[in-house]
Amino acid sequence: IDSDAVGGPVFNWTDIGDTGTAAMTTGDDSNLGPFPIGFTFKYYDQQFTTFRVCSNGFISFSSTVTTYSNTAIPSASAPLNMLAPFWDDLNLTTAGSGDIFYQNVGGNLVIQWDGVYTYTGSIPLTFQVILTPSGTITYQYLTLGGAGNSATVGMQNATGTVGLQVAYN
């Protein structure tokens, strides 16, 4: 559910742009990690203590792919064990493009794409994934102006057979 729905989460931006650990400061179609979650996170009946981050707007608990062409999910051709707050062709090497940070805040893991650009865009995008020890996953969006209509938002399991698609293009 989203923050506009009755009973939905309250938008509570947790800015880690000045305090977080840099996971990626440059790169186009890059996937780095593993990085520590800070707790054991249960995802589709598997236990994870680390994650990988991709410049193209997703994290994965196992996949090293850098797929920039987003697709509908679930799909075995999409990155597996994926959380996709904004899977699209993003580029951290564009002049002025921001960075990707992560930080444990109040016991929760926050991963923030901070002022990154789409490959063809000129307006910075800032969004987050927040994971809690209880298994809650929250996507938050601070700025998406001019992002276009080509991103996939959702998540999928380790085989690409089960998932939740919130948006596709």
Side-chain angles (χ1 to χ4, degrees):
I1 60 176
D2 70 32
S3 58
D4 291 333
V6 174
V10 175
F11 179 78
N12 185 18
W13 187 258
T14 305
D15 191 0
I16 62 167
D18 292 331
T19 59
T21 300
M24 193 177 302
T25 59
T26 188
D28 180 28
D29 305 332
S30 298
N31 184 319
L32 298 178
F35 301 106
I37 294 173
F39 50 87
T40 300
F41 188 75
K42 186 175 181 180
Y43 186 71
Y44 287 105
D45 293 324
Q46 294 183 321
Q47 305 285 329
F48 297 98
T49 58
T50 61
F51 69 97
R52 301 187 62 85
V53 66
C54 183
S55 58
N56 291 321
F58 66 85
I59 69 165
S60 174
F61 299 108
S62 60
S63 180
T64 60
V65 302
T66 61
T67 309
Y68 62 87
S69 293
N70 63 299
T71 63
I73 54 176
S75 169
S77 64
L80 304 176
N81 275 326
M82 174 179 67
L83 295 174
F86 197 88
W87 176 25
D88 198 7
D89 192 4
L90 305 181
N91 188 352
L92 276 67
T93 61
T94 301
S97 190
D99 305 313
I100 303 170
F101 299 99
Y102 70 95
Q103 182 177 345
N104 192 289
V105 178
N108 301 323
L109 175 65
V110 179
I111 305 157
Q112 179 172 314
W113 284 256
D114 191 35
V116 301
Y117 290 113
T118 61
Y119 190 76
T120 58
S122 60
I123 298 173
L125 315 175
T126 301
F127 55 93
Q128 298 177 327
V129 174
I130 302 172
L131 306 179
T132 70
S134 67
T136 300
I137 300 166
T138 302
Y139 295 165
Q140 295 196 118
Y141 304 91
L142 189 63
T143 56
L144 291 181
N149 60 353
S150 67
T152 297
V153 176
M155 61 189 71
Q156 70 171 12
N157 70 352
T159 59
T161 56
V162 178
L164 171 64
Q165 179 175 284
V166 177
Y168 170 62
N169 289 346

